[in-house]
Amino acid sequence: FVEQIRKQSVKDILTLCRASPDKVSRFADALAMLFGTEDSHELSGVQSSMFSLFSINLKGALEGIFGRLLQISEEEDNSEELMGVIRERLLRFLVVKLKQMGDLEKECEDLIMEQCKKLLEDVTKDEFIAVMELLRSLKTMTTVQSRQQLVEMVVDQAALDEPFEASDPDCVDRLYRCIKSKPVFKNVHSRPFVQYICDHVLPVLKDVVSPDEETNIQLEVLKTFAEISEFAGDVDKLDKRLNTIFSALLEFMPLPPSDEKEESTTEEPKLNFSQVECLIFAFHQLARKSPGFLTDEVNGERLKDFRVRLQYIARGSQICIKRLKEALQGTTGDALKTEENKKRIVALKLFTNITMLVKDLMHNPPSYKVALTLSWRPSREIKPAESNETAKTLSPGQKRTITPITYDDANGKKSTPKQARTLYQPPGGKFSDKAGTFTNFSRGGNRGGRGRGNFRARGRRGMSGSGFYQNKL
Protein backbone atom coordinates (compact mmCIF):
# COMPACT_ATOMS: atom_id res chain seq x y z
CA PHE A 1 0.00 0.00 0.00
CA VAL A 2 2.82 2.39 0.87
CA GLU A 3 4.54 1.65 -2.44
CA GLN A 4 1.35 2.42 -4.35
CA ILE A 5 1.05 5.77 -2.60
CA ARG A 6 4.67 6.57 -3.40
CA LYS A 7 4.23 5.65 -7.06
CA GLN A 8 1.11 7.79 -7.35
CA SER A 9 2.91 10.69 -5.66
CA VAL A 10 5.66 10.48 -8.27
CA LYS A 11 3.05 10.88 -11.00
CA ASP A 12 1.32 13.77 -9.19
CA ILE A 13 4.61 15.67 -8.91
CA LEU A 14 4.36 16.62 -12.60
CA THR A 15 0.98 18.29 -12.08
CA LEU A 16 2.29 20.26 -9.11
CA CYS A 17 5.40 21.36 -11.00
CA ARG A 18 3.42 22.55 -14.01
CA ALA A 19 1.41 24.74 -11.66
CA SER A 20 4.53 25.99 -9.83
CA PRO A 21 7.65 25.78 -12.09
CA ASP A 22 9.69 27.61 -9.46
CA LYS A 23 9.32 24.59 -7.14
CA VAL A 24 10.89 22.16 -9.65
CA SER A 25 14.29 22.11 -7.90
CA ARG A 26 12.74 20.91 -4.63
CA PHE A 27 10.73 18.18 -6.33
CA ALA A 28 13.75 17.14 -8.38
CA ASP A 29 15.73 16.72 -5.17
CA ALA A 30 12.95 14.51 -3.75
CA LEU A 31 12.81 12.41 -6.91
CA ALA A 32 16.59 12.08 -6.87
CA MET A 33 16.42 10.32 -3.50
CA LEU A 34 14.11 7.71 -5.04
CA PHE A 35 16.84 6.73 -7.50
CA GLY A 36 18.05 4.42 -4.75
CA THR A 37 14.99 2.17 -4.95
CA GLU A 38 15.50 -1.53 -5.61
CA ASP A 39 12.20 -1.83 -7.51
CA SER A 40 13.04 -1.64 -11.22
CA HIS A 41 9.47 -0.63 -12.20
CA GLU A 42 9.44 2.16 -9.63
CA LEU A 43 12.89 3.32 -10.76
CA SER A 44 11.65 3.51 -14.36
CA GLY A 45 8.74 5.67 -13.26
CA VAL A 46 10.97 7.96 -11.22
CA GLN A 47 13.35 8.43 -14.15
CA SER A 48 10.45 9.17 -16.49
CA SER A 49 9.06 11.81 -14.12
CA MET A 50 12.50 13.36 -13.65
CA PHE A 51 12.97 13.63 -17.40
CA SER A 52 9.56 15.30 -17.68
CA LEU A 53 10.74 17.96 -15.22
CA PHE A 54 13.41 18.93 -17.76
CA SER A 55 10.71 20.20 -20.11
CA ILE A 56 9.09 22.25 -17.32
CA ASN A 57 12.16 23.92 -15.81
CA LEU A 58 15.50 22.45 -16.89
CA LYS A 59 17.67 24.69 -14.76
CA GLY A 60 15.56 24.02 -11.66
CA ALA A 61 15.69 20.27 -12.26
CA LEU A 62 19.48 20.40 -12.65
CA GLU A 63 19.82 22.39 -9.44
CA GLY A 64 17.84 19.75 -7.57
CA ILE A 65 19.82 16.84 -9.04
CA PHE A 66 23.23 18.37 -8.37
CA GLY A 67 22.11 19.37 -4.88
CA ARG A 68 21.47 15.71 -4.16
CA LEU A 69 24.71 14.63 -5.83
CA LEU A 70 26.72 16.96 -3.61
CA GLN A 71 24.90 16.11 -0.39
CA ILE A 72 26.47 13.55 1.95
CA SER A 73 24.19 12.02 4.55
CA GLU A 74 25.49 10.68 7.85
CA GLU A 75 22.20 9.77 9.48
CA GLU A 76 22.32 6.02 8.78
CA ASP A 77 25.08 3.43 8.77
CA ASN A 78 24.29 2.39 5.21
CA SER A 79 23.91 5.95 3.92
CA GLU A 80 27.30 5.96 2.21
CA GLU A 81 26.46 2.86 0.19
CA LEU A 82 22.98 4.16 -0.61
CA MET A 83 24.32 7.56 -1.65
CA GLY A 84 26.82 5.80 -3.86
CA VAL A 85 24.04 4.01 -5.71
CA ILE A 86 22.05 7.24 -6.04
CA ARG A 87 25.03 9.23 -7.29
CA GLU A 88 25.96 6.59 -9.83
CA ARG A 89 22.43 6.33 -11.21
CA LEU A 90 21.90 10.09 -11.27
CA LEU A 91 25.12 10.68 -13.18
CA ARG A 92 24.30 7.99 -15.71
CA PHE A 93 20.81 9.51 -16.04
CA LEU A 94 22.26 12.95 -16.73
CA VAL A 95 24.75 11.64 -19.30
CA VAL A 96 22.04 9.80 -21.26
CA LYS A 97 19.15 12.26 -20.99
CA LEU A 98 21.07 15.49 -21.59
CA LYS A 99 22.47 14.02 -24.80
CA GLN A 100 18.90 13.33 -25.91
CA MET A 101 17.98 16.97 -25.33
CA GLY A 102 20.57 18.25 -27.78
CA ASP A 103 22.01 21.75 -27.35
CA LEU A 104 21.33 23.35 -23.97
CA GLU A 105 21.07 27.03 -23.08
CA LYS A 106 24.33 28.63 -21.99
CA GLU A 107 22.91 29.28 -18.52
CA CYS A 108 22.28 25.56 -18.00
CA GLU A 109 25.68 24.52 -19.36
CA ASP A 110 27.42 27.02 -17.08
CA LEU A 111 25.52 25.53 -14.15
CA ILE A 112 26.65 22.02 -15.09
CA MET A 113 30.28 23.14 -15.38
CA GLU A 114 30.18 24.86 -12.00
CA GLN A 115 28.54 21.95 -10.21
CA CYS A 116 30.80 19.33 -11.82
CA LYS A 117 33.84 21.21 -10.51
CA LYS A 118 32.49 20.76 -7.00
CA LEU A 119 31.55 17.16 -7.67
CA LEU A 120 35.07 16.26 -8.81
CA GLU A 121 36.44 17.10 -5.38
CA ASP A 122 35.20 13.72 -4.12
CA VAL A 123 34.39 11.06 -6.72
CA THR A 124 34.94 7.39 -7.33
CA LYS A 125 36.65 6.19 -10.49
CA ASP A 126 33.34 5.36 -12.18
CA GLU A 127 31.88 8.73 -11.16
CA PHE A 128 34.91 10.54 -12.54
CA ILE A 129 34.50 8.81 -15.90
CA ALA A 130 30.78 9.69 -15.97
CA VAL A 131 31.44 13.35 -15.09
CA MET A 132 34.03 13.61 -17.86
CA GLU A 133 31.60 12.09 -20.33
CA LEU A 134 28.91 14.53 -19.22
CA LEU A 135 31.17 17.56 -19.57
CA ARG A 136 32.49 16.54 -22.98
CA SER A 137 28.93 16.28 -24.29
CA LEU A 138 28.27 19.98 -23.68
CA LYS A 139 28.13 22.37 -26.61
CA THR A 140 30.39 24.77 -24.74
CA MET A 141 33.22 22.24 -25.15
CA THR A 142 33.55 23.44 -28.74
CA THR A 143 35.32 26.52 -27.35
CA VAL A 144 38.99 26.44 -26.45
CA GLN A 145 38.34 28.33 -23.21
CA SER A 146 35.93 25.70 -21.90
CA ARG A 147 38.22 22.83 -22.85
CA GLN A 148 41.08 24.56 -21.09
CA GLN A 149 38.95 24.78 -17.94
CA LEU A 150 38.23 21.09 -18.24
CA VAL A 151 41.94 20.32 -18.58
CA GLU A 152 42.62 22.31 -15.42
CA MET A 153 39.95 20.30 -13.60
CA VAL A 154 41.56 17.04 -14.71
CA VAL A 155 45.02 18.29 -13.75
CA ASP A 156 43.76 19.08 -10.27
CA GLN A 157 42.15 15.64 -9.99
CA ALA A 158 45.39 13.98 -11.09
CA ALA A 159 47.32 15.80 -8.34
CA LEU A 160 50.36 16.45 -10.51
CA ASP A 161 51.94 18.43 -7.71
CA GLU A 162 52.24 15.27 -5.62
CA PRO A 163 54.95 12.58 -5.92
CA PHE A 164 54.32 9.61 -8.20
CA GLU A 165 54.35 6.29 -6.38
CA ALA A 166 55.09 3.61 -8.98
CA SER A 167 54.43 0.86 -6.44
CA ASP A 168 51.00 2.22 -5.46
CA PRO A 169 48.26 0.78 -7.76
CA ASP A 170 45.81 3.51 -6.70
CA CYS A 171 48.27 6.27 -7.60
CA VAL A 172 49.02 4.65 -10.96
CA ASP A 173 45.36 4.12 -11.77
CA ARG A 174 44.45 7.69 -10.80
CA LEU A 175 47.01 9.14 -13.18
CA TYR A 176 46.05 6.75 -15.97
CA ARG A 177 42.33 7.47 -15.69
CA CYS A 178 42.89 11.21 -15.68
CA ILE A 179 45.12 11.13 -18.74
CA LYS A 180 42.59 8.90 -20.50
CA SER A 181 40.38 12.00 -20.55
CA LYS A 182 42.60 13.03 -23.46
CA PRO A 183 39.74 14.11 -25.80
CA VAL A 184 39.74 17.35 -23.80
CA PHE A 185 43.22 18.08 -25.19
CA LYS A 186 41.94 18.96 -28.65
CA ASN A 187 43.34 22.44 -29.45
CA VAL A 188 44.52 22.83 -25.85
CA HIS A 189 47.84 21.77 -24.39
CA SER A 190 48.47 18.53 -22.60
CA ARG A 191 51.82 19.94 -21.47
CA PRO A 192 51.32 19.35 -17.70
CA PHE A 193 50.75 15.63 -18.25
CA VAL A 194 53.55 15.24 -20.80
CA GLN A 195 56.03 16.93 -18.47
CA TYR A 196 54.85 14.91 -15.47
CA ILE A 197 55.23 11.59 -17.29
CA CYS A 198 58.70 12.58 -18.53
CA ASP A 199 59.84 13.63 -15.07
CA HIS A 200 58.21 11.04 -12.84
CA VAL A 201 56.87 8.04 -14.79
CA LEU A 202 59.31 7.16 -17.58
CA PRO A 203 62.35 6.96 -15.27
CA VAL A 204 60.58 4.33 -13.14
CA LEU A 205 58.48 2.71 -15.88
CA LYS A 206 59.75 -0.79 -15.10
CA ASP A 207 58.58 -0.41 -11.49
CA VAL A 208 55.03 0.74 -12.29
CA VAL A 209 52.56 -1.66 -10.67
CA SER A 210 49.39 -2.65 -12.49
CA PRO A 211 46.08 -2.07 -10.65
CA ASP A 212 45.00 -5.59 -11.63
CA GLU A 213 46.53 -8.74 -13.07
CA GLU A 214 44.91 -8.39 -16.49
CA THR A 215 46.16 -4.90 -17.30
CA ASN A 216 49.56 -4.27 -18.86
CA ILE A 217 49.65 -0.85 -17.26
CA GLN A 218 53.14 0.00 -18.49
CA LEU A 219 52.05 -0.37 -22.09
CA GLU A 220 48.75 1.41 -21.45
CA VAL A 221 50.58 4.41 -19.96
CA LEU A 222 52.92 4.52 -22.96
CA LYS A 223 49.99 4.39 -25.37
CA THR A 224 48.29 7.28 -23.62
CA PHE A 225 51.56 9.20 -23.47
CA ALA A 226 51.98 8.79 -27.23
CA GLU A 227 48.46 10.09 -27.86
CA ILE A 228 48.81 13.24 -25.75
CA SER A 229 52.30 14.02 -27.07
CA GLU A 230 50.64 15.48 -30.17
CA PHE A 231 49.16 18.29 -28.05
CA ALA A 232 52.13 19.01 -25.79
CA GLY A 233 52.71 22.56 -27.01
CA ASP A 234 55.87 24.27 -25.78
CA VAL A 235 57.41 21.89 -23.26
CA ASP A 236 59.67 23.41 -20.61
CA LYS A 237 63.25 22.11 -20.46
CA LEU A 238 62.60 20.30 -23.72
CA ASP A 239 66.09 18.82 -24.24
CA LYS A 240 66.14 17.37 -20.73
CA ARG A 241 62.76 15.73 -21.21
CA LEU A 242 63.64 14.61 -24.72
CA ASN A 243 66.63 12.85 -23.24
CA THR A 244 64.32 11.01 -20.81
CA ILE A 245 62.10 9.83 -23.68
CA PHE A 246 65.17 8.94 -25.76
CA SER A 247 66.66 6.88 -22.93
CA ALA A 248 63.37 5.04 -22.41
CA LEU A 249 63.19 4.35 -26.15
CA LEU A 250 66.70 2.91 -26.25
CA GLU A 251 65.69 0.45 -23.53
CA PHE A 252 63.39 -1.17 -26.09
CA MET A 253 65.72 -0.71 -29.10
CA PRO A 254 68.80 -2.86 -28.54
CA LEU A 255 71.93 -2.79 -30.65
CA PRO A 256 72.32 -5.62 -33.18
CA PRO A 257 73.93 -8.71 -31.62
CA SER A 258 77.69 -8.95 -32.01
CA ASP A 259 79.44 -11.75 -33.92
CA GLU A 260 80.61 -13.20 -30.65
CA LYS A 261 77.13 -13.28 -29.24
CA GLU A 262 75.70 -14.85 -32.38
CA GLU A 263 78.28 -17.60 -32.22
CA SER A 264 77.77 -18.28 -28.53
CA THR A 265 74.00 -18.47 -28.44
CA THR A 266 71.11 -19.36 -30.65
CA GLU A 267 68.59 -17.34 -28.63
CA GLU A 268 66.65 -14.92 -30.80
CA PRO A 269 66.42 -11.26 -29.79
CA LYS A 270 63.19 -10.07 -28.17
CA LEU A 271 61.89 -6.75 -29.44
CA ASN A 272 58.93 -5.02 -27.82
CA PHE A 273 57.47 -3.39 -30.90
CA SER A 274 54.36 -2.08 -29.11
CA GLN A 275 56.47 -0.04 -26.68
CA VAL A 276 58.76 1.07 -29.51
CA GLU A 277 55.84 2.48 -31.49
CA CYS A 278 54.63 4.52 -28.49
CA LEU A 279 58.01 5.97 -27.55
CA ILE A 280 59.35 6.59 -31.05
CA PHE A 281 56.11 8.38 -31.93
CA ALA A 282 56.32 10.60 -28.83
CA PHE A 283 60.01 11.27 -29.52
CA HIS A 284 59.19 12.14 -33.14
CA GLN A 285 56.49 14.58 -32.00
CA LEU A 286 58.70 16.46 -29.53
CA ALA A 287 62.11 16.22 -31.22
CA ARG A 288 60.86 18.23 -34.19
CA LYS A 289 60.85 21.23 -31.85
CA SER A 290 64.51 20.64 -30.99
CA PRO A 291 66.24 19.13 -34.05
CA GLY A 292 69.65 19.83 -32.54
CA PHE A 293 69.06 17.04 -30.05
CA LEU A 294 70.26 14.64 -32.76
CA THR A 295 72.06 16.90 -35.24
CA ASP A 296 74.31 19.08 -33.06
CA GLU A 297 77.99 18.26 -33.50
CA VAL A 298 78.34 17.23 -29.87
CA ASN A 299 75.60 14.66 -30.43
CA GLY A 300 77.31 12.94 -33.35
CA GLU A 301 77.94 9.68 -31.51
CA ARG A 302 74.39 9.65 -30.21
CA LEU A 303 73.00 9.91 -33.76
CA LYS A 304 75.39 7.26 -35.08
CA ASP A 305 74.38 4.80 -32.37
CA PHE A 306 70.70 5.64 -32.84
CA ARG A 307 70.83 4.92 -36.56
CA VAL A 308 72.29 1.48 -35.98
CA ARG A 309 69.42 0.71 -33.60
CA LEU A 310 66.88 2.16 -36.02
CA GLN A 311 68.09 -0.05 -38.84
CA TYR A 312 67.95 -3.11 -36.61
CA ILE A 313 64.37 -2.45 -35.49
CA ALA A 314 63.37 -1.59 -39.06
CA ARG A 315 64.62 -4.93 -40.37
CA GLY A 316 62.51 -6.73 -37.82
CA SER A 317 59.48 -4.60 -38.76
CA GLN A 318 59.88 -5.23 -42.48
CA ILE A 319 60.18 -8.99 -41.98
CA CYS A 320 57.01 -9.01 -39.87
CA ILE A 321 55.20 -6.85 -42.44
CA LYS A 322 56.07 -9.36 -45.14
CA ARG A 323 54.85 -12.32 -43.09
CA LEU A 324 51.64 -10.56 -42.06
CA LYS A 325 50.84 -9.62 -45.66
CA GLU A 326 51.40 -13.21 -46.70
CA ALA A 327 49.03 -14.37 -43.97
CA LEU A 328 46.38 -11.83 -45.03
CA GLN A 329 46.82 -12.32 -48.76
CA GLY A 330 43.54 -13.25 -50.43
CA THR A 331 41.56 -12.62 -47.24
CA THR A 332 38.47 -10.49 -47.84
CA GLY A 333 35.03 -9.75 -46.46
CA ASP A 334 33.95 -11.47 -43.27
CA ALA A 335 37.20 -13.40 -43.09
CA LEU A 336 38.98 -10.15 -42.18
CA LYS A 337 36.65 -9.72 -39.22
CA THR A 338 37.83 -12.77 -37.31
CA GLU A 339 39.67 -12.05 -34.08
CA GLU A 340 42.92 -13.46 -35.41
CA ASN A 341 42.84 -11.36 -38.58
CA LYS A 342 41.83 -8.25 -36.65
CA LYS A 343 44.98 -8.69 -34.56
CA ARG A 344 47.01 -9.18 -37.71
CA ILE A 345 45.65 -5.95 -39.19
CA VAL A 346 46.51 -4.01 -36.02
CA ALA A 347 49.97 -5.59 -36.01
CA LEU A 348 50.46 -4.64 -39.66
CA LYS A 349 49.61 -1.02 -38.81
CA LEU A 350 52.05 -1.15 -35.89
CA PHE A 351 55.00 -2.40 -37.96
CA THR A 352 54.15 0.00 -40.81
CA ASN A 353 54.10 2.95 -38.40
CA ILE A 354 57.51 2.00 -37.01
CA THR A 355 58.93 1.68 -40.53
CA MET A 356 57.61 5.11 -41.54
CA LEU A 357 58.99 6.80 -38.43
CA VAL A 358 62.36 5.09 -38.87
CA LYS A 359 62.60 6.31 -42.46
CA ASP A 360 61.93 9.85 -41.28
CA LEU A 361 64.61 9.66 -38.61
CA MET A 362 67.13 8.05 -40.97
CA HIS A 363 67.19 11.13 -43.19
CA ASN A 364 70.26 13.31 -43.04
CA PRO A 365 69.46 15.44 -41.14
CA PRO A 366 66.58 13.60 -39.44
CA SER A 367 63.18 14.62 -40.75
CA TYR A 368 59.93 15.06 -38.85
CA LYS A 369 57.41 15.28 -41.67
CA VAL A 370 55.53 11.99 -41.61
CA ALA A 371 52.01 12.05 -40.16
CA LEU A 372 50.39 8.80 -39.15
CA THR A 373 47.67 7.24 -37.01
CA LEU A 374 48.75 5.13 -34.06
CA SER A 375 48.04 1.45 -34.64
CA TRP A 376 45.36 1.05 -31.95
CA ARG A 377 43.37 4.06 -33.11
CA PRO A 378 40.82 4.00 -35.96
CA SER A 379 42.45 4.62 -39.32
CA ARG A 380 41.43 7.42 -41.60
CA GLU A 381 39.13 6.03 -44.25
CA ILE A 382 40.76 6.07 -47.68
CA LYS A 383 38.61 7.79 -50.29
CA PRO A 384 37.98 6.04 -53.62
CA ALA A 385 39.94 8.72 -55.48
CA GLU A 386 43.00 8.08 -53.31
CA SER A 387 42.65 4.35 -53.80
CA ASN A 388 42.43 4.74 -57.58
CA GLU A 389 45.45 7.02 -57.60
CA THR A 390 47.46 4.41 -55.76
CA ALA A 391 46.33 1.71 -58.13
CA LYS A 392 47.52 3.76 -61.12
CA THR A 393 51.11 3.63 -59.93
CA LEU A 394 51.27 -0.13 -60.41
CA SER A 395 50.72 -2.08 -63.59
CA PRO A 396 48.62 -5.27 -63.52
CA GLY A 397 50.68 -8.06 -62.02
CA GLN A 398 53.45 -5.67 -60.99
CA LYS A 399 54.73 -6.12 -57.45
CA ARG A 400 55.41 -3.20 -55.17
CA THR A 401 59.11 -2.78 -54.48
CA ILE A 402 60.35 -2.28 -50.94
CA THR A 403 62.88 0.51 -50.58
CA PRO A 404 65.62 -0.41 -48.12
CA ILE A 405 66.21 2.04 -45.29
CA THR A 406 69.50 3.88 -45.75
CA TYR A 407 71.25 6.91 -44.38
CA ASP A 408 73.74 9.44 -45.71
CA ASP A 409 77.40 8.82 -45.10
CA ALA A 410 80.02 11.41 -44.24
CA ASN A 411 80.29 12.46 -47.90
CA GLY A 412 76.57 13.05 -48.20
CA LYS A 413 76.01 9.94 -50.38
CA LYS A 414 73.24 7.46 -49.78
CA SER A 415 74.57 4.21 -48.48
CA THR A 416 73.38 0.93 -47.10
CA PRO A 417 75.90 -0.54 -44.68
CA LYS A 418 77.39 -3.74 -45.99
CA GLN A 419 77.15 -6.51 -43.49
CA ALA A 420 79.22 -9.65 -43.60
CA ARG A 421 76.75 -11.15 -41.19
CA THR A 422 72.99 -11.07 -40.79
CA LEU A 423 72.05 -8.57 -38.11
CA TYR A 424 68.53 -9.77 -37.85
CA GLN A 425 67.12 -13.28 -38.14
CA PRO A 426 63.43 -13.88 -38.91
CA PRO A 427 61.60 -14.36 -35.63
CA GLY A 428 60.94 -17.91 -34.62
CA GLY A 429 58.14 -19.53 -32.68
CA LYS A 430 54.80 -17.97 -33.44
CA PHE A 431 55.98 -15.89 -36.38
CA SER A 432 57.80 -18.69 -38.15
CA ASP A 433 54.95 -21.19 -37.95
CA LYS A 434 51.93 -18.98 -38.16
CA ALA A 435 52.27 -15.27 -38.75
CA GLY A 436 50.17 -13.04 -36.67
CA THR A 437 49.42 -15.11 -33.59
CA PHE A 438 49.44 -12.51 -30.87
CA THR A 439 48.62 -12.17 -27.21
CA ASN A 440 45.71 -9.94 -26.26
CA PHE A 441 45.70 -8.11 -22.97
CA SER A 442 42.47 -6.99 -21.35
CA ARG A 443 42.05 -3.95 -19.19
CA GLY A 444 40.07 -4.21 -16.01
CA GLY A 445 38.94 -1.81 -13.32
CA ASN A 446 40.08 -1.33 -9.77
CA ARG A 447 39.28 0.64 -6.71
CA GLY A 448 40.54 4.09 -6.01
CA GLY A 449 41.51 6.15 -2.99
CA ARG A 450 39.70 9.08 -1.42
CA GLY A 451 40.09 12.85 -1.34
CA ARG A 452 41.78 15.25 -3.71
CA GLY A 453 43.80 13.46 -6.30
CA ASN A 454 42.27 10.12 -5.36
CA PHE A 455 39.09 8.34 -6.33
CA ARG A 456 36.75 7.58 -3.43
CA ALA A 457 36.27 3.85 -2.92
CA ARG A 458 32.95 2.28 -2.06
CA GLY A 459 33.79 -1.35 -2.60
CA ARG A 460 32.56 -1.28 -6.19
CA ARG A 461 34.75 -2.33 -9.04
CA GLY A 462 35.35 -0.03 -11.95
CA MET A 463 34.49 -0.43 -15.57
CA SER A 464 36.48 -2.89 -17.63
CA GLY A 465 37.57 -2.55 -21.20
CA SER A 466 39.53 -4.27 -23.86
CA GLY A 467 43.27 -4.15 -23.73
CA PHE A 468 45.83 -3.60 -26.44
CA TYR A 469 47.72 -6.19 -28.38
CA GLN A 470 51.34 -6.58 -27.52
CA ASN A 471 53.78 -8.97 -29.09
CA LYS A 472 57.35 -9.82 -28.33
CA LEU A 473 59.79 -11.42 -30.65
Side-chain angles (χ1 to χ4, degrees):
F1 182 73
V2 174
E3 292 182 358
Q4 293 179 353
I5 294 178
R6 189 166 64 238
K7 291 179 181 180
Q8 185 60 44
S9 299
V10 170
K11 296 179 181 179
D12 293 340
I13 282 178
L14 297 180
T15 303
L16 296 173
C17 288
R18 290 190 181 99
S20 304
D22 57 316
K23 298 293 191 298
V24 166
S25 62
R26 297 180 62 181
F27 284 112
D29 177 69
L31 283 176
M33 280 299 297
L34 296 179
F35 270 64
T37 180
E38 296 180 358
D39 187 331
S40 59
H41 294 289
E42 182 180 6
L43 178 61
S44 177
V46 171
Q47 292 176 335
S48 178
S49 295
M50 183 72 84
F51 188 53
S52 296
L53 294 185
F54 285 5
S55 61
I56 299 175
N57 183 351
L58 177 57
K59 183 181 178 182
L62 291 174
E63 289 175 343
I65 292 174
F66 278 106
R68 178 54 53 189
L69 283 170
L70 293 169
Q71 182 175 339
I72 299 178
S73 173
E74 298 180 356
E75 296 178 359
E76 301 179 14
D77 293 338
N78 64 344
S79 62
E80 181 69 16
E81 182 179 354
L82 177 61
M83 288 300 294
V85 173
I86 293 174
R87 284 163 65 106
E88 184 176 326
R89 290 177 177 176
L90 282 174
L91 281 171
R92 181 49 50 188
F93 174 82
L94 285 175
V95 170
V96 174
K97 297 303 182 181
L98 290 181
K99 285 183 179 179
Q100 294 179 5
M101 297 196 65
D103 295 340
L104 307 179
E105 294 182 359
K106 186 178 184 301
E107 186 179 19
C108 292
E109 293 204 344
D110 290 344
L111 172 65
I112 294 173
M113 283 283 292
E114 179 183 353
Q115 296 301 314
C116 282
K117 287 181 181 178
K118 299 177 181 178
L119 196 61
L120 285 174
E121 294 177 2
D122 184 22
V123 290
T124 64
K125 178 177 64 179
D126 290 342
E127 290 169 359
F128 173 76
I129 294 172
V131 170
M132 288 296 104
E133 186 177 355
L134 173 62
L135 290 173
R136 288 197 296 268
S137 69
L138 301 180
K139 181 182 178 181
T140 188
M141 284 301 131
T142 58
T143 65
V144 175
Q145 181 180 4
S146 295
R147 285 199 298 274
Q148 187 61 49
Q149 290 181 25
L150 190 51
V151 169
E152 293 171 358
M153 292 162 62
V154 176
V155 168
D156 184 67
Q157 180 67 34
L160 299 185
D161 56 343
E162 297 180 5
F164 177 73
E165 300 291 341
S167 59
D168 182 359
D170 290 341
C171 179
V172 174
D173 188 60
R174 179 192 71 217
L175 177 65
Y176 172 65
R177 295 294 174 182
C178 289
I179 301 177
K180 285 299 288 183
S181 303
K182 59 186 177 303
V184 305
F185 294 138
K186 183 179 180 182
N187 297 331
V188 295
H189 292 159
S190 59
R191 180 173 57 246
F193 288 102
V194 171
Q195 294 181 166
Y196 187 84
I197 292 177
C198 288
D199 294 344
H200 301 285
V201 181
L202 292 183
V204 294
L205 183 64
K206 292 182 178 180
D207 301 324
V208 173
V209 176
S210 179
D212 57 72
E213 295 180 356
E214 297 179 345
T215 304
N216 185 349
I217 194 64
Q218 296 177 11
L219 179 57
E220 292 298 327
V221 169
L222 289 180
K223 285 169 53 183
T224 308
F225 177 58
E227 290 175 337
I228 66 175
S229 65
E230 294 184 81
F231 313 104
D234 297 326
V235 175
D236 299 331
K237 302 177 182 177
L238 179 57
D239 281 358
K240 177 183 177 181
R241 286 169 171 137
L242 264 178
N243 188 61
T244 302
I245 300 173
F246 188 73
S247 298
L249 175 59
L250 295 188
E251 289 291 325
F252 297 102
M253 290 181 58
L255 287 167
S258 63
D259 288 324
E260 294 78 9
K261 184 175 181 179
E262 287 183 337
E263 293 173 359
S264 62
T265 181
T266 58
E267 182 181 355
E268 295 175 353
K270 294 183 179 180
L271 303 176
N272 297 284
F273 287 105
S274 297
Q275 286 86 341
V276 169
E277 181 194 16
C278 299
L279 287 168
I280 198 172
F281 179 86
F283 178 78
H284 187 271
Q285 291 293 320
L286 299 181
R288 67 180 61 186
K289 302 171 185 178
S290 182
F293 182 83
L294 290 176
T295 58
D296 286 350
E297 186 175 351
V298 294
N299 298 325
E301 287 300 318
R302 169 192 287 170
L303 180 57
K304 181 179 178 180
D305 174 85
F306 190 40
R307 280 175 168 165
V308 174
R309 297 172 188 263
L310 287 172
Q311 283 195 313
Y312 184 50
I313 202 76
R315 289 191 184 98
S317 296
Q318 290 177 336
I319 291 172
C320 292
I321 288 173
K322 180 181 178 181
R323 293 187 180 278
L324 287 166
K325 286 184 175 180
E326 290 174 352
L328 291 169
Q329 187 175 9
T331 306
T332 58
D334 292 338
L336 289 172
K337 298 179 182 179
T338 64
E339 287 301 316
E340 186 174 2
N341 282 333
K342 284 181 180 179
K343 294 173 185 177
R344 284 173 174 163
I345 292 171
V346 172
L348 184 59
K349 290 169 59 179
L350 183 152
F351 294 124
T352 302
N353 284 348
I354 292 176
T355 300
M356 293 171 65
L357 291 168
V358 168
K359 284 184 177 180
D360 234 21
L361 294 171
M362 289 296 287
H363 281 230
N364 191 16
S367 174
Y368 304 95
K369 296 180 180 179
V370 68
L372 51 83
T373 302
L374 291 163
S375 62
W376 59 88
R377 304 187 69 180
S379 299
R380 180 178 64 88
E381 184 177 355
I382 300 177
K383 299 179 181 180
E386 297 178 1
S387 179
N388 293 337
E389 188 66 26
T390 302
K392 291 178 183 178
T393 61
L394 297 176
S395 303
Q398 179 183 357
K399 295 184 177 180
R400 187 182 300 274
T401 58
I402 299 178
T403 304
I405 297 177
T406 62
Y407 61 88
D408 298 352
D409 58 20
N411 298 322
K413 297 180 180 180
K414 294 289 183 181
S415 65
T416 302
K418 297 181 180 180
Q419 304 288 344
R421 56 188 172 85
T422 302
L423 290 181
Y424 185 89
Q425 295 295 330
K430 297 178 180 179
F431 279 85
S432 61
D433 298 330
K434 186 177 181 181
T437 302
F438 308 105
T439 302
N440 186 43
F441 290 89
S442 298
R443 182 169 66 247
N446 70 296
R447 302 175 183 175
R450 182 180 178 89
R452 177 183 176 276
N454 286 291
F455 299 130
R456 172 168 34 78
R458 292 199 186 98
R460 304 193 309 277
R461 292 188 60 81
M463 298 173 62
S464 62
S466 59
F468 174 62
Y469 139 83
Q470 179 196 27
N471 97 293
K472 295 183 179 180
L473 298 184

